[in-house]
Amino acid sequence: FRNFELAGWEEIPTQYHQAFGELTSQAIEPLLDAARARKGTKLLDVACGPGYVSALATKRGAIVLGIDFSKSMLEQAKQLHPGIDFREGDAEQLPLGGGLFDAVVMNFGILHLGQPEKALLEAYRVLRSGGRCAFSVWCDPRETIGFAIVLRAVEAHGEPRVALPEGPPFFRYSNPEECTRGLTAAGFESPAVRKISQTWRLPAGDALFYAMRDSTVRTAGLLRAQKPTVLDKIREAMRTELVKYTRGEIVE
């Protein structure tokens, strides 16, 4: 599963930036607030991707290190945010000593790990006493509308049980109780879960379909495994459902 995710992210840094950058960035300020990131905070941005969190934490005056296992993502992060320290590393086995940071954050990164429990243990290990860890995930499909649209279309017209490398359930941490359980098991005290709203704005038509097919890993694997005729039906079903979210040339 790790190799599957890594291979996927190595191929799509530009596509991800274009399709998901503005959306996932909407979670960053609440994430940094939860980690109490401020001037002088030593902050580790795990699974940093294109470096969005690292950049905003740096603007707050934090001392930031961004870690990701994808060389392509790190290259893009360095291009987008020169001057920030980005390094290659695995969230489940951080190449860092213990007790070095005041805060560890992951913005939608825990979804893509084969052993997220290890990542939480590693976050605990590299934090000083009293440090804080914060991560963000999508709500379940009942509230994460973009994912719901593609999953419903696959369920109706395709084969949702294709042979992909087995990983943890994608929406595992959409359950607040699972977040609390996972953090507590890693050693953290008094976990809290906060729900925030986000709005995804895309061009009308097939932009959501192409975002899911070309800018994700697991969902893209699901779509690309479908037969071409089936994929056309999935795309048409998604386009039809998006009509109610369309205003002029924009889907929200």
Side-chain angles (χ1 to χ4, degrees), residues 1 19 31 49 58 77 98 101 108-109 116 122 125 144 153 168 177 188 212 220 223-224 230 240:
F1 179 78
L31 186 73
T58 299
F101 296 92
F108 298 101
E122 281 291 270
R125 181 182 65 81
T144 307
E177 292 180 359
F188 293 101
M212 292 296 189
L223 290 172
R224 291 174 181 174
V230 171
T240 299

Side-chain angles (χ1 to χ4, degrees), residues 12-226:
I12 59 170
T14 300
Q15 298 94 311
Y16 178 83
H17 176 61
Q18 293 171 346
F20 283 90
E22 190 273 336
L23 175 63
T24 58
S25 291
Q26 294 174 38
I28 296 175
E29 293 291 356
L31 186 73
L32 293 177
D33 289 344
R36 294 182 183 169
R38 53 176 69 94
K39 185 175 181 179
T41 300
K42 294 181 179 179
L43 182 139
L44 179 64
D45 179 12
V46 178
C48 65
Y52 309 136
V53 175
S54 295
L56 284 179
T58 299
K59 286 184 179 180
R60 289 190 177 201
I63 303 162
V64 178
L65 172 61
I67 291 279
D68 202 283
F69 71 168
S70 166
K71 291 183 176 67
S72 296
M73 281 291 185
L74 289 171
E75 288 172 5
Q76 185 176 62
K78 291 172 182 177
Q79 292 174 4
L80 292 172
H81 314 290
I84 297 177
D85 189 1
F86 294 107
R87 304 180 196 174
E88 187 177 349
D90 193 319
E92 296 169 7
Q93 192 172 358
L94 294 169
L96 301 163
L100 297 176
F101 296 92
D102 304 306
V104 175
V105 294
M106 271 190 289
N107 196 32
F108 298 101
I110 202 166
L111 305 163
H112 305 290
L113 305 178
Q115 298 175 296
E117 303 89 349
K118 283 190 174 182
L120 293 177
L121 286 167
E122 281 291 270
Y124 187 88
R125 181 182 65 81
V126 301
L127 282 167
R128 65 166 179 80
S129 178
R132 294 173 71 88
C133 172
F135 66 85
S136 56
V137 295
W138 306 112
C139 288
D140 71 35
R142 290 173 295 180
E143 297 178 271
T144 307
I145 296 169
F147 281 104
I149 289 172
V150 66
L151 293 174
R152 278 197 294 268
V154 172
E155 188 71 36
H157 301 284
E159 173 49 69
R161 289 165 289 277
V162 299
L164 296 176
E166 186 175 357
F170 188 77
F171 293 101
R172 171 180 174 179
Y173 291 103
S174 304
N175 181 344
E177 292 180 359
E178 184 65 13
C179 293
T180 298
R181 189 206 63 76
L183 286 163
T184 302
F188 293 101
E189 298 177 2
S190 306
V193 179
R194 176 185 171 196
K195 187 183 294 185
I196 63 168
S197 62
Q198 298 175 249
T199 302
W200 201 1
R201 295 177 179 86
L202 291 163
D206 291 329
L208 177 63
F209 172 83
Y210 289 120
M212 292 296 189
R213 190 195 68 177
D214 300 335
S215 311
T216 64
V217 177
R218 270 206 264 189
T219 308
L222 175 64
L223 290 172
R224 291 174 181 174
Q226 308 297 322

